[in-house]
Amino acid sequence: MLGVFSGAIVSPPDELVAAGCRTPSPKITADALVKRFIEANPSTVSMQIGDHVQFAYSHRNESALLPRSFAVKDEIFCMFEGALDNLGSLKQQYGLGKSATEVVLVIEAYKALRDRAPYPPSHMVAHLNGYFSFIVFDNSTSTLFVASDQVGKVPLYWGITADGHVAFADNVELLKGACGKSLASFPQGCFFSTAVGELMSYENPKNKITAVPAEDEEMWGATYKVEGPTVVAGTESPMLSF
């Protein structure tokens, strides 16, 4: 799956911009990236959402246990990859029918987050049990919401194209060829929301996330780390690396 967003929707992460400047490498534009995805996946479903967003997905080479899916409802677009272990109980919680799938559930969870303020964004993702990554775009508010599961079973990556668009994909080679060193693995157990304005851990929402510049020989431009809780003097504060 592939989601590409212009600077009108999301500002490119400073850490990935800096990584691209430190180690210049070939990049391509957002339109060229989408075209490359479509050419590599003949059965691709792609769409342009307004002037600033492009979605594309395919079932090619997907896992039978962690499939990809797409849905749109009330101008909320969602691409989901994975499976939820507690889908049944969540469908009851959100008043959904028995036939509702994970991607529909995520749209309803996002709507609850959007419409039931104050509702901590971390709660939307924290009660999802399973392996997953998803990209939600709310066209009515121009809001982007992206998340990955706690163990990174379903990979997700993000990078910056030659024309400054932010791209999310489950295929690292696709983004590597498009974003150069302005590329990173999306940290597991975390979410990014333009409504919040930053990357956050939904497991530990009060813990700060920092980006560590990668070594020159590494594929990534940066590695994101969730800092551990503050501890008393004389002990170390753990840091989780993704």
Side-chain angles (χ1 to χ4, degrees):
M1 63 182 180
L2 173 67
V4 183
F5 305 85
S6 79
I9 302 299
V10 55
S11 299
D14 292 339
E15 302 86 2
L16 299 187
V17 173
C21 293
R22 285 195 306 272
T23 310
S25 53
K27 295 184 178 185
I28 59 175
T29 65
D31 287 343
L33 170 59
V34 175
K35 182 179 179 181
R36 181 175 291 181
F37 182 93
I38 294 172
E39 290 175 346
N41 301 279
S43 60
T44 293
V45 176
S46 63
M47 65 211 72
Q48 176 88 35
I49 307 169
D51 296 328
H52 304 291
V53 178
Q54 296 186 73
F55 270 22
Y57 78 100
S58 169
H59 294 294
R60 182 171 180 262
N61 294 331
E62 74 177 9
S63 166
L65 298 178
L66 303 171
R68 304 183 192 103
S69 53
F70 168 81
V72 56
K73 181 180 180 182
D74 300 332
E75 290 198 89
I76 301 171
F77 297 76
C78 180
M79 289 188 294
F80 181 96
E81 183 172 353
L84 297 178
D85 297 332
N86 60 338
L87 178 61
S89 62
L90 290 175
K91 284 192 287 189
Q92 292 183 336
Q93 178 180 333
Y94 287 99
L96 298 175
K98 292 182 178 180
S99 62
T101 59
E102 281 92 346
V103 68
V104 173
L105 184 282
V106 168
I107 289 177
E108 292 299 326
Y110 168 79
K111 287 177 66 179
L113 166 66
R114 183 191 67 184
D115 300 338
R116 299 178 191 174
Y119 187 81
S122 58
H123 286 192
M124 172 193 163
V125 196
H127 69 334
L128 304 180
N129 296 330
Y131 301 137
F132 62 86
S133 62
F134 64 78
I135 303 169
V136 171
F137 178 68
D138 184 349
N139 195 38
S140 65
T141 60
S142 296
T143 300
L144 171 66
F145 193 106
V146 182
S148 179
D149 69 55
Q150 298 177 9
V151 297
K153 184 72 173 182
V154 179
L156 186 65
Y157 311 93
W158 57 341
I160 306 171
T161 64
D163 49 351
H165 288 54
V166 178
F168 297 86
D170 58 354
N171 185 332
V172 66
E173 292 301 324
L174 177 73
L175 288 193
K176 183 180 179 182
C179 304
K181 277 285 191 173
S182 296
L183 172 67
S185 177
F186 193 87
Q188 62 201 47
C190 293
F191 72 90
F192 176 84
S193 169
T194 53
V196 176
E198 62 180 329
L199 183 67
M200 295 182 66
S201 165
Y202 59 81
E203 295 181 284
N204 302 287
K206 294 183 179 181
N207 292 3
K208 182 180 179 182
I209 297 178
T210 57
V212 178
E215 299 295 333
D216 289 342
E217 66 272 12
E218 293 186 60
M219 177 192 304
W220 313 119
T223 300
Y224 289 89
K225 299 177 181 290
V226 180
E227 295 183 359
T230 302
V231 293
V232 297
T235 61
E236 295 182 355
S237 176
M239 183 175 284
L240 306 178
S241 176
F242 302 112

